[in-house]
Amino acid sequence: MSRPGFVLEVDDRTPPMIVHEGLGFRLESFPLGTRVVYPPESIPAVPDVDEAIQHALLNPLDSEPLPALLRPGMRLTIAFDDLSIPLPTMKAPDIRGRIIEAVLTMAAEAGVDDVKLIAANALHRRMTAAELKHIVGERVFRSFYPQGDLYNFDAEDRDELTHLGTTEKGEDIEISKRAAESDLLVYVNVNLVAMDGGHKSVGIGLASYKSLRHHHNAKTMVHSRSFMDHKHSEMHHSAWRMGRIIKDTVKVFQIETTLNNDVFPSSFSFLQKREWEWSVKDQASMLGVRRGLSVAPPKLKHKMFHDMRSVYGLTGVNAGEVEAVHEKTLEKVHAQHSVEVNGQSDVLVMGVPYLGPYNVNSSMNPILAACMGLGYYFNSYRGQPVVRKGGAVILYHPLDEGFNQLHHPSYVDFYEEVLAESTDPAVVGEKYEQQFAQDPWYIHLYRTSHAYHGVHPFYMWYWIAHALDHVDEVIWVGGNRKAAARMGFRAATTLQDALEMASGTVGTSPSITYLHNPPHLLADVR
Amino acid sequence: MILALEMFRSLPRTAVGKAIGTRMPGILSGYAAPLRLVTIDPPKVDRPGWARLRTRLSGICGSDLGALSGQTSLYFSAVVSLPMVLGHEVVAELLEDCEDLPAGTRVVLDPVLTCAARGVEPCENCAVGQTNRCSRITVGHLAPGLQTGFCKDTGGGWGQQLVAHRSQMHAVPEGWSDEQALLMEPLSCAVHTALRAGVKHNDRVLVSGAGAVGLFATLALRQLTPAGEIIVVAKHKHQRELAAEFGATEVVQPDEVLRRVRRSTGAFQLKPEYSPAYLLGGVDVAVDAVGSKQSLETALNATRAGGRVVLSGMPAAADLSAAWFRELEVVGTYASSQHEPGGRGAFELAAELAELDAVVRLSKSVASYPLHRWREALDHAHAAGRLGTVKVAFDPRSSQ
């Protein structure tokens, strides 16, 4: 029986807490009275994954069973989430691959010949062949990739996009032509956190900049409260409006999966546990890893962390009509991630780990670190933010990994040029977004190399718009001062220094909440 | 007898300077510089149109430092005459009447020793006022020397006295400081650079370098051409501030220039093996205002196909592949002309620039040294960028 998440109040007996900070972690002693929010332990996984998949496909929600939707001569497209989820990458076999195999088996039995597999990477980078193979599995890869029937979505291939119209609010809907013109579009998702899935899958994963710009902008993001609660997220409202029109055009069979919180493999299992429950073995592991990290060169540390594969358990798989499926999915996600938190605090403390959705097999540059802390973790709430309006956020990350020129070329220009001029998401978006979105070099790199689209760093900055609007102070403990300053923040050496620096905003005895993640948690703030 | 800093022929010193002068500039002001402080007879005046002048201020130019460090190409060895007193950026006062100019007049020199100064019939270039292209710089009654300061017969500004021809003299307007007047010569070169750059309406221009040459080129480009965006490559903080003040649209660090040009022009960037990256696309015009291999290659690599690269600094050997492959027009700009495009002389245009507030403010930062402190002066000039100085000069009047 797994235990739910809970809130610990630091007292004299509380041991130092693990706080993630990039390619490493530290043990931090929090002031007495600090609230520490722990994620729930992993909920039980389904006993038989293949059986659960079969059951979902044959007993879908508000839809005919998948075999009934398949017929000879039809055009079938299977789209799937890219490597940005789950985090860390799932140990093979990936759940998406297992589902795709099941769908393909049914399609073959029904005599469907025209099948394409599309990675729904939107403006994310193209995945490499190895990354695609990891997701779909070796057999599917071998059968489809060499013929060009398994590929990354290209949001800049004008010939392969279709404009489906506009929503009642004038939002363009432009998605993959192949997907839009298919007789059946099967979408295979991994719903790692509550913001994933639903109409976001097709409406964003297979959409072009023309569509995305309507909800990926500072104005929409600042009114998305939070991203993890689609009923209160402007971004999701927009995606839902688009999704309902997509649904009228193309038959979508949505397959959503949920995972438990088994994020860390056995060698890092101490990171999964509560500190006072560490066994001697856990303590030895922690000390060994800590010592190793202290002497390891950056490249080795990067390899140690990025080679990590998670042994997630599948907690649910649901298929059928998008919204009906997503409701079921969210129930499971909330069961796994929700922690009840009573009231807001003056200061919110978060450790930013080595990994986010956009630096898989890459580096966590300062913009991505900010997005991870102030975008994803800050927004990991329902109800109201964990920190009060006008409070302070203290983040841990060295901000020193630099930029990956292959994956994030436009990030360098955004950091050096755009942020040097302004850090206001609305201001930079107004002045520079179009330039970056239409830059032919970025478009070329996005289409032919493995670069995120030119506009992507703007989206990262929009992700943090709500946090910037909500809090008065952001301080990075252990962060590179120059990088923090470039982003409009301050850096401190220790938590005590950070609290001292924040005292002008929150006073000398602030209430403090530390979100102890990863593993993932969703603070249900009452 | 006068005091003067004389450059002399010394193979060992030149070789040492060439070998390590750029990496250890201090060596040039210590042991390796082929330069000495001497007491010599003042240069003589024995032809009409010539007059003696007393130096008030004389600047240290990059070409002087290049000559002392052996970095200057031997190409120029045929157009100088050793031993010579350096100094071609000169503010001086007439010691005697010279045609229409009475004794005591403050003048700045156009240092080019043209046909008129040499007492020969005007060559085809001097005849049309393109005096910087004079074809007779080794003949006539003067020893070979492309300019005052590189000719053993005229002396130079790094001495207490020199001689000059009336055609070289431009009277300093009333109310100007010597420092302001000192900037006239480098400003006139910048005027010539800007007008040779062939800038069309709204062209994007890159100026690589923000020393005196680069800053003045930026000013001249902004004031005298219809340039649109001007991107200036500047290493030091004060250079960045001055570049913006002088008309740069954007100021970038040397290590980010290609990236910033690429961004602002929408060019594509390529990275060849074991070589610096270059752009397909880029600025319309690039000005190399440093003269180093790196700076020139930056200019070549950041210019669009069919664009123009202007050599304002004395150029170093560089990879010219881009000039061939991208069909670039590589344009040299040397000194200044008495007849620039538009018909006016470069010094006349430079005088207008020298009256701008930004230039007047800059003139107040000129650092001057007496001749006997030449080692410190050269050290300062070598490190001018780092030390926040744009122009270092000698003031021979303070030398005893």
Side-chain angles (χ1 to χ4, degrees):
Chain A
M1 182 67 186
S2 70
R3 294 180 296 180
F6 85 112
V7 180
L8 168 84
E9 188 167 310
V10 172
D11 60 25
D12 293 337
R13 294 165 301 163
T14 307
M17 304 280 172
I18 287 278
V19 181
H20 290 268
E21 49 177 357
L23 297 166
F25 58 87
R26 72 169 71 182
L27 289 171
E28 186 67 270
S29 297
F30 286 93
L32 296 180
T34 298
R35 295 189 305 180
V36 181
V37 183
Y38 279 92
E41 289 182 345
S42 288
I43 60 175
V46 298
D48 187 327
V49 172
D50 290 330
E51 191 180 295
I53 293 170
Q54 286 295 320
H55 182 266
L57 299 183
L58 297 175
N59 302 280
L61 300 164
D62 293 349
S63 168
E64 293 173 88
L66 181 61
L69 301 173
L70 302 168
R71 55 182 164 73
M74 74 181 299
R75 284 158 69 93
L76 171 64
T77 298
I78 303 172
F80 55 91
D81 284 343
D82 73 354
L83 50 56
S84 59
I85 37 182
L87 300 172
T89 300
M90 182 182 287
K91 188 178 177 191
D94 190 287
I95 185 62
R96 285 162 289 198
R98 296 174 79 163
I99 292 172
I100 288 168
E101 281 214 22
V103 172
L104 288 172
T105 302
M106 289 180 182
E109 286 168 356
V112 180
D113 291 328
D114 185 354
V115 182
K116 303 279 188 202
L117 276 69
I118 308 176
N121 41 272
L123 303 184
H124 297 174
R125 70 175 174 87
R126 291 168 66 243
M127 289 183 283
T128 63
E131 288 165 342
L132 280 169
K133 189 200 274 187
H134 180 85
I135 290 177
V136 301
E138 202 273 337
R139 269 187 300 188
V140 173
F141 180 84
R142 189 161 23 95
S143 305
F144 286 83
Y145 187 77
Q147 292 78 27
D149 292 334
L150 163 62
Y151 54 88
N152 293 287
F153 170 60
D154 181 350
E156 289 290 348
D157 185 350
R158 304 308 310 170
D159 296 337
E160 292 301 321
L161 294 170
T162 294
H163 194 267
L164 297 181
T166 55
T167 68
E168 68 269 23
K169 296 215 170 185
E171 298 147 315
D172 296 278
I173 304 157
E174 187 175 65
I175 66 167
S176 157
K177 187 177 189 176
R178 166 72 199 194
E181 294 181 354
S182 289
D183 298 303
L184 180 64
L185 171 60
V186 174
Y187 195 100
V188 182
N189 124 315
V190 177
N191 226 106
L192 185 68
V193 291
M195 66 170 278
D196 304 327
H199 286 302
K200 206 170 155 285
S201 295
V202 175
I204 290 182
L206 292 174
S208 69
Y209 171 68
K210 194 171 183 177
S211 265
L212 297 172
R213 67 197 166 104
H214 292 291
H215 40 65
H216 279 57
N217 58 60
K219 190 178 169 196
T220 303
M221 297 296 204
V222 88
H223 290 108
S224 296
R225 300 179 178 184
S226 78
F227 301 119
M228 300 297 169
D229 184 356
H230 78 88
K231 290 178 178 163
H232 296 95
S233 162
E234 281 296 325
M235 182 187 74
H236 285 82
H237 292 167
S238 177
W240 254 241
R241 284 192 292 274
M242 293 180 178
R244 282 167 184 158
I245 289 177
I246 292 170
K247 202 167 69 170
D248 292 342
T249 310
V250 56
K251 171 72 180 168
V252 179
F253 189 83
Q254 181 91 354
I255 306 171
E256 295 192 346
T257 61
T258 49
L259 305 174
N260 66 15
N261 252 352
D262 287 342
V263 168
F264 295 103
S266 57
S267 52
F268 289 90
S269 60
F270 63 92
L271 293 173
Q272 192 92 20
K273 297 178 180 175
R274 295 159 188 181
E275 288 82 355
W276 64 90
E277 294 176 348
W278 280 349
S279 64
V280 174
K281 187 182 161 200
D282 290 328
Q283 292 182 42
S285 297
M286 186 277 292
L287 286 171
V289 170
R290 203 169 165 214
R291 178 57 59 90
L293 289 171
S294 68
V295 297
K299 274 191 179 172
L300 182 60
K301 284 199 281 189
H302 190 273
K303 186 171 166 51
M304 276 171 67
F305 278 100
H306 281 262
D307 283 355
M308 196 185 287
R309 294 289 175 264
S310 297
V311 286
Y312 299 105
L314 179 74
T315 59
V317 51
N318 291 289
E321 191 276 330
V322 178
E323 291 182 33
V325 167
H326 197 57
E327 282 304 305
K328 286 280 181 195
T329 300
L330 287 180
E331 285 174 20
K332 282 286 184 191
V333 172
H334 290 156
Q336 177 59 83
H337 295 154
S338 278
V339 189
E340 200 171 304
V341 176
N342 285 318
Q344 297 174 304
S345 60
D346 298 318
V347 177
L348 172 61
V349 181
M350 297 174 285
V352 177
Y354 72 98
L355 187 63
Y358 314 111
N359 75 312
V360 176
N361 304 324
S362 188
S363 28
M364 178 76 93
N365 63 53
I367 296 163
L368 290 177
C371 178
M372 195 63 196
L374 297 172
Y376 285 89
Y377 282 0
F378 174 87
N379 280 287
S380 207
Y381 73 84
R382 282 199 298 171
Q384 53 187 340
V386 180
V387 61
R388 70 167 169 80
K389 177 87 176 164
V393 169
I394 295 175
L395 297 157
Y396 287 70
H397 193 278
L399 303 175
D400 65 350
E401 274 194 61
F403 292 86
N404 184 305
Q405 297 285 349
L406 174 66
H407 296 148
H408 305 119
S410 68
Y411 278 67
V412 183
D413 292 334
F414 180 84
Y415 179 81
E416 294 289 353
E417 185 182 346
V418 177
L419 290 184
E421 187 172 319
S422 173
T423 55
D424 184 322
V427 171
V428 302
E430 181 71 24
K431 183 166 179 187
Y432 287 107
E433 183 188 307
Q434 286 295 315
Q435 289 178 31
F436 276 66
Q438 293 165 4
D439 189 308
W441 174 239
Y442 298 147
I443 291 173
H444 169 75
L445 293 176
Y446 161 78
R447 297 192 64 187
T448 62
S449 179
H450 296 285
Y452 281 83
H453 195 276
V455 79
H456 203 258
F458 287 83
Y459 292 173
M460 298 301 94
W461 211 245
Y462 300 154
W463 277 115
I464 74 172
H466 171 30
L468 295 183
D469 178 61
H470 186 78
V471 301
D472 281 358
E473 184 89 66
V474 176
I475 300 167
W476 294 81
V477 173
N480 177 293
R481 286 175 194 280
K482 212 171 159 187
R486 171 53 57 93
M487 297 191 290
F489 309 130
R490 294 197 287 171
T493 308
T494 64
L495 176 62
Q496 287 67 34
D497 287 348
L499 290 170
E500 177 69 31
M501 289 160 70
S503 63
T505 305
V506 296
T508 51
S509 304
S511 55
I512 303 168
T513 300
Y514 167 47
L515 294 187
H516 197 299
N517 55 353
H520 311 292
L521 66 82
L522 179 60
D524 202 348
V525 184
R526 304 295 166 90
Chain B
M1 300 294 276
I2 60 165
L3 275 176
L5 285 168
E6 187 181 71
M7 182 177 172
F8 59 99
R9 191 179 301 279
S10 168
L11 195 58
R13 291 187 189 215
T14 303
V16 169
K18 199 172 184 68
I20 56 175
T22 49
R23 274 162 289 171
M24 295 176 64
I27 201 97
L28 294 172
S29 52
Y31 306 101
L35 191 71
R36 59 195 172 202
L37 182 64
V38 293
T39 304
I40 53 175
D41 290 327
K44 291 186 176 61
V45 171
D46 52 7
R47 301 185 79 85
W50 285 84
R52 288 182 302 129
L53 301 114
R54 180 185 295 122
T55 309
R56 296 174 68 87
L57 220 46
S58 181
I60 302 174
C61 172
S63 59
D64 299 321
L65 297 175
L68 289 172
S69 63
Q71 301 303 312
T72 304
S73 167
L74 290 175
Y75 174 95
F76 296 102
S77 61
V79 291
V80 299
S81 46
L82 292 165
M84 60 195 183
V85 178
L86 292 174
H88 60 276
E89 297 173 0
V90 183
V91 184
E93 62 190 30
L94 278 166
L95 291 172
E96 56 216 9
D97 294 349
C98 183
E99 298 183 356
D100 57 321
L101 296 176
T105 305
R106 271 195 311 160
V107 296
V108 292
L109 295 189
D110 175 352
V112 179
L113 292 168
T114 62
C115 292
R118 293 179 171 277
V120 298
E121 285 297 309
C123 67
E124 70 280 11
N125 293 316
C126 287
V128 294
Q130 294 180 336
T131 43
N132 59 328
R133 298 182 182 178
C134 177
S135 309
R136 303 283 181 266
I137 50 174
T138 56
V139 299
H141 61 80
L142 292 176
L146 68 168
Q147 294 185 351
T148 298
F150 296 101
C151 171
K152 68 179 179 184
D153 288 344
T154 60
W158 296 8
Q160 289 175 318
Q161 283 185 31
L162 71 163
V163 294
H165 188 257
R166 173 66 187 91
S167 63
Q168 295 180 276
M169 298 177 197
H170 297 267
V172 176
E174 280 297 314
W176 281 29
S177 67
D178 287 339
E179 287 78 8
Q180 191 182 354
L182 179 71
L183 302 180
M184 279 276 285
E185 196 280 336
L187 275 169
S188 70
C189 296
V191 165
H192 185 63
T193 295
L195 298 178
R196 284 276 289 155
V199 176
K200 296 186 184 69
H201 178 68
N202 223 21
D203 270 357
R204 283 196 177 96
V205 183
L206 172 71
V207 178
S208 180
V213 177
L215 289 171
F216 292 153
T218 303
L219 180 72
L221 284 161
R222 179 55 75 213
Q223 296 292 329
L224 304 175
T225 73
E229 194 176 357
I230 300 179
I231 302 168
V232 176
V233 184
K235 196 186 278 185
H236 303 287
K237 185 167 177 283
H238 78 284
Q239 292 176 335
R240 292 196 286 275
E241 291 166 359
L242 285 169
E245 195 178 354
F246 279 20
T249 324
E250 196 174 355
V251 186
V252 301
Q253 294 276 359
D255 59 354
E256 61 180 10
V257 54
L258 217 60
R259 191 170 50 70
R260 296 293 278 269
V261 170
R262 194 218 66 70
R263 248 278 298 144
S264 76
T265 60
F268 278 31
Q269 183 172 318
L270 301 184
K271 178 72 180 79
E273 292 176 5
Y274 308 112
S275 303
Y278 63 88
L279 300 182
L280 298 180
V283 295
D284 302 295
V285 176
V287 177
D288 171 22
V290 177
S292 68
K293 177 177 186 289
Q294 187 190 8
S295 173
L296 178 51
E297 288 182 357
T298 297
L300 291 163
N301 292 343
T303 305
R304 66 164 172 81
R308 182 173 279 215
V309 174
V310 183
L311 310 179
S312 184
M314 196 180 280
D319 183 351
L320 291 175
S321 301
W324 176 79
F325 178 53
R326 301 281 84 199
E327 294 194 334
L328 303 177
E329 290 179 52
V330 179
V331 174
T333 67
Y334 161 66
S336 64
S337 170
Q338 290 177 5
H339 191 273
E340 295 288 351
R344 299 171 72 190
F347 269 75
E348 189 184 342
L349 292 163
E352 291 173 9
L353 298 183
E355 287 189 313
L356 295 172
D357 289 344
V359 178
V360 174
R361 276 197 297 279
L362 177 66
S363 70
K364 291 173 180 160
S365 71
V366 171
S368 64
Y369 288 82
L371 293 175
H372 63 269
R373 287 174 61 194
W374 64 272
R375 294 179 197 277
E376 289 168 69
L378 292 186
D379 272 343
H380 192 162
H382 271 297
R386 187 164 46 79
L387 296 174
T389 310
V390 173
K391 181 57 70 182
V392 182
F394 286 112
D395 180 357
R397 293 169 300 174
S398 57
S399 304
Q400 300 301 321

